């Protein structure tokens, strides 16, 4: 979305040596689980989180390109002395984009550009950064990169690109160091429901199976809310219609990637369901792809708010 909305800004950042990391994969549903701690006890690290710019609508971000561009030009001297990360915590899902195949993908693939100080550009750590532009990355890797910047690289004058296991400092891998092993959604801490890897999925067209999966989906959501002590706050929800259901074989099991509309909320929710000889089993968390407005206002501050259609709420 950022590539479409702010092309001038992106072009300028790249002219400064910025590297766009194409495949940042979110690891949680919304901002909270994708956020990472930045309070490392140093006054030289700051975080700005302008969430309202693009959280509720896709329209406003398009108008920010000139403002972002002016900001970067005005502050280039400071940015040239800094490690600078411009990113999203998750992709867009409002204004109907979550109902499209591309929108579902973008929701799990937020924007990420990394700039390093000008004196380190065209050096070994810069080349390592470029090498990873098309690698699968998580927010854990960004945390590892920050820890590398703060704790390890200063002693090497930011020239150490050798492989290093960063535990217990971090669960991720620094973008400035060599990586080892296969990187995919099985080897990285990415829940299957958010995986952006492209597997050979096929569409489910059997209407009997579709209804069975839709009803099971709704039952599992109601069970989750009930087991979370929300029976007296959230209305029961029921399968209404299907957006998409695809399947992929996984050994002796089949994994269904399900996106369905529920009633009475009108919510478009997605999750994975696993099927084998033992029957159906929910194999991921739930994520809402369309706007929930005030439906979950009885759960303000609760991470289950997007899934709850509060008792007494009548508007979808």
């Amino acid at each position: 979305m950022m590539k479409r909305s702010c092309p001038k800004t992106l072009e300028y950042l790249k002219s400064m040596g910025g590297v766009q990391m194409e495949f940042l994969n979110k690891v949680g549903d919304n901002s909270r689980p994708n956020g990472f701690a930045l309070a490392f006890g140093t006054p030289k690290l700051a975080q700005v989180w302008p969430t309202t710019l693009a959280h509720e609508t896709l329209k406003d971000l398009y108008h920010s390109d000139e403002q972002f561009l002016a900001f970067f030009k005005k502050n280039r001297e400071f940015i040239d002395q800094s490690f600078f990360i411009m990113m999203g915590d998750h992709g867009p899902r409002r204004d109907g984009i979550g109902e499209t195949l591309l929108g579902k993908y973008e929701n799990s693939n937020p924007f990420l550009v990394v700039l390093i100080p000008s004196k380190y550009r065209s050096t070994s750590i810069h080349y390592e950064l470029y090498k990873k532009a098309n690698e699968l990355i998580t927010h854990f890797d960004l945390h590892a990169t920050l820890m590398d910047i703060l704790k390890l690289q200063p002693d090497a004058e930011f020239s150490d690109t050798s492989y290093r296991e960063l535990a217990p400092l971090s669960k991720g891998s620094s973008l400035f160091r060599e990586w080892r092993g296969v990187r995919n959604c099985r080897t990285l801490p990415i829940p299957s429901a958010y995986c952006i890897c492209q597997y050979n999925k096929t569409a489910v067209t059997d209407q009997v199976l579709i209804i069975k999966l839709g009803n099971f989906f709704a039952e599992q959501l109601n069970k989750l809310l009930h087991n979370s002590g929300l029976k007296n706050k959230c209305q029961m929800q029921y399968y209404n219609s299907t957006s998409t259901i695809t399947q992929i074989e996984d050994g002796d099991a089949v994994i269904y990637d399900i996106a369905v509309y529920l009633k009475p909320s009108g919510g478009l929710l997605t999750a994975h369901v696993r099927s084998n000889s033992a029957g159906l089993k929910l194999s991921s968390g739930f994520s809402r792809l369309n706007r929930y407005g005030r439906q979950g206002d009885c759960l303000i501050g609760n991470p289950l708010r997007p899934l709850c259609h509060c008792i007494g709420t009548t508007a979808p």
Side-chain angles (χ1 to χ4, degrees), residues 67-138:
Q67 284 75 21
F68 276 129
L69 180 61
F71 170 82
F72 288 121
K73 287 183 175 180
K74 179 181 178 181
N75 294 282
R76 177 158 186 166
E77 180 181 352
F78 300 103
I79 295 171
D80 278 340
Q81 301 175 52
S82 309
F83 288 93
F84 189 93
I85 298 174
M86 187 176 186
M87 60 172 290
D89 51 357
H90 59 79
R93 52 186 170 192
R94 300 291 190 255
D95 294 342
I97 194 171
E99 301 178 39
T100 67
L101 185 61
L102 176 61
K104 292 174 185 175
Y105 181 89
E106 284 197 355
N107 176 247
S108 295
N109 180 213
F111 176 76
L112 172 62
V113 167
V114 180
L115 290 93
I116 65 176
S118 57
K119 65 180 179 179
Y120 300 131
R121 294 170 195 165
S122 299
T123 65
S124 57
I125 64 169
H126 202 197
Y127 293 136
E128 279 297 324
L129 198 58
Y130 274 113
K131 282 168 58 177
K132 296 173 175 63
N134 291 302
E135 293 277 357
L136 191 63
I137 295 171
T138 73

Side-chain angles (χ1 to χ4, degrees), residues 1 27 41 76 99 117-118 124-125 208 235 249 255 268-269 275 282 284 290 296:
M1 179 179 172
V27 295
R76 177 158 186 166
E99 301 178 39
S118 57
S124 57
I125 64 169
V208 174
Q235 297 183 45
E249 293 186 3
I255 298 176
L268 174 59
L269 277 72
S275 175
L282 186 69
S284 76
N290 62 352

Side-chain angles (χ1 to χ4, degrees), residues 240-257:
N240 185 29
S241 62
T242 297
S243 174
T244 59
I245 299 180
T246 58
Q247 67 180 42
I248 183 172
E249 293 186 3
D250 183 27
D252 61 351
V254 176
I255 298 176
Y256 296 102
D257 184 353

Side-chain angles (χ1 to χ4, degrees), residues 215-246:
N215 288 332
F216 178 80
F217 185 103
E219 290 169 3
Q220 293 302 301
L221 175 65
N222 291 327
K223 182 179 179 180
L224 169 66
L225 296 173
H226 182 275
N227 291 343
S228 300
L230 301 175
K231 179 180 179 180
N232 295 325
K233 289 191 174 183
C234 303
Q235 297 183 45
M236 294 280 288
Q237 296 204 58
Y238 303 92
Y239 168 67
N240 185 29
S241 62
T242 297
S243 174
T244 59
I245 299 180
T246 58

